[in-house]
Amino acid sequence: MAKHDHRRVIAIDGPAAAGKTTVAKELADSLGILLFDTGSLYRSVTLRSLRKGADLNDEQAIAKQAKKAKIKLKAPSIEDGRSADVMLDGEDVTWAIRQPDVDANVSKVAAYPTVREALLEVQRENADGSAVVMVGRDIGTVVTPDAGTKIYLDATVEERARRRYQDMRRQGEDMDYISVLEELRERDFKDSTRATAPLRVADDAIHIKTDGLDVEDIVGQIEKIVREQWASIA
Ligand code: DC
């Protein structure tokens, strides 16, 4: 870890549908820096595993997929709401990794310690020496515990379900609120009880509860913290 410099890393962690991606995208735009959504890595490994017919219950088979996958995040080439182009083995999978079959299986894949290990160094290297917004579950606790700024974004599960439900409705998907709420509760449970790198608030993270706040308020609050922190770096 000592060889990396993560002082300008802004780690944003928190549960599913807490608004991390929306906030991180606005923050990265406002600061003029990169956004690295680390969930894309776990999603890409899940997609590759599904496509190759790998057994999702077999950790070693999935770890092999993680090691073989060539995943790259690039600045967005199309303005269709994406925060980055996610490239998997040379193919643009930005939207493929957001499909329900990946949603349904990604928590299982992300719980495997050997998969997490395979994806750790690529995250640390991407963060090294850069001003970057890193979004995930374990950025402030495991990936870059030395990040200069750590934010934990949270909201009640009902509020998160309401936001996700509205997003889905906007995208024309037909799902009821109760199913969305139940799916989120299950994801929360899996993400926070897994043995390796569970979702938790880093001791030195700033915990922001976003119920009732709008995106601009949250981004403004974080930007102020970041600018103060950066001013203290020689
Ligand atoms: O944020 P997301 O919905 O794209 O994350 C997809 C899954 O990956 C979710 O189950 C949590 C997991 N994840 C993780 O374990 N660690 C990260 N740094 C990012 C995501």
Side-chain angles (χ1 to χ4, degrees):
M1 279 299 287
K3 60 185 161 56
H4 296 306
D5 172 6
H6 293 146
R7 285 175 301 169
R8 287 179 192 273
V9 169
I10 305 160
I12 301 189
D13 293 304
K20 299 187 298 290
T21 313
T22 314
V23 165
K25 191 170 187 301
E26 299 247 335
L27 181 69
D29 284 351
S30 179
L31 293 168
I33 63 174
L34 290 174
L35 167 61
F36 190 144
D37 184 354
T38 61
S40 307
L41 303 178
Y42 296 95
R43 288 175 175 275
S44 296
V45 172
T46 306
L47 180 66
R48 194 179 206 274
S49 304
L50 288 168
R51 285 181 172 175
K52 299 279 178 193
D55 179 357
L56 290 162
N57 294 311
D58 178 349
E59 176 171 354
Q60 291 319 314
I62 307 305
K64 201 167 119 192
Q65 295 297 330
K67 283 179 200 139
K68 282 191 173 168
K70 292 195 174 51
I71 310 166
K72 287 206 172 71
L73 269 69
K74 301 195 301 190
S77 61
I78 310 170
E79 271 193 46
D80 60 357
R82 62 180 63 196
S83 56
D85 286 2
V86 182
M87 307 298 295
L88 170 63
D89 305 322
E91 179 193 339
D92 185 335
V93 295
T94 309
W95 296 117
I97 58 169
R98 308 256 153 219
Q99 298 305 308
D101 54 343
V102 174
D103 273 340
N105 290 293
V106 65
S107 289
K108 176 175 259 186
V109 168
Y112 289 138
T114 47
V115 170
R116 304 197 71 84
E117 182 63 34
L119 297 177
L120 200 50
E121 200 49 33
V122 61
Q123 296 177 78
R124 287 182 178 156
E125 272 165 17
N126 269 282
D128 189 25
S130 336
V132 60
V133 182
M134 303 268 295
V135 183
R137 301 292 191 288
D138 60 339
I139 309 302
T141 51
V142 175
V143 177
T144 57
D146 51 346
T149 311
K150 295 186 193 179
I151 307 289
Y152 190 90
L153 272 194
D154 211 351
T156 56
V157 69
E158 291 81 10
E159 168 72 9
R160 290 184 283 121
R162 198 180 56 75
R163 291 179 192 160
R164 167 112 344 151
Y165 171 70
Q166 283 173 349
D167 279 354
M168 289 175 127
R169 289 281 296 249
R170 265 196 292 275
Q171 287 163 18
E173 281 182 49
D174 185 24
M175 208 160 167
D176 62 285
Y177 171 79
I178 297 296
S179 311
V180 175
L181 181 66
E182 271 162 14
E183 203 245 333
L184 272 184
R185 284 209 171 108
E186 195 181 320
R187 291 263 302 271
D188 283 358
F189 180 77
K190 282 189 187 155
D191 290 344
S192 54
T193 55
R194 68 177 176 226
T196 306
L199 173 68
R200 68 170 183 85
V201 192
D203 294 337
D204 50 353
I206 296 160
H207 193 161
I208 303 179
K209 297 191 175 110
T210 65
D211 295 71
L213 295 181
D214 56 34
V215 174
E216 287 92 274
D217 293 336
I218 306 165
V219 172
Q221 205 176 325
I222 302 175
E223 196 173 335
K224 190 163 168 278
I225 297 164
V226 171
R227 292 205 185 273
E228 279 167 14
Q229 205 277 326
W230 284 3
S232 71
I233 302 174

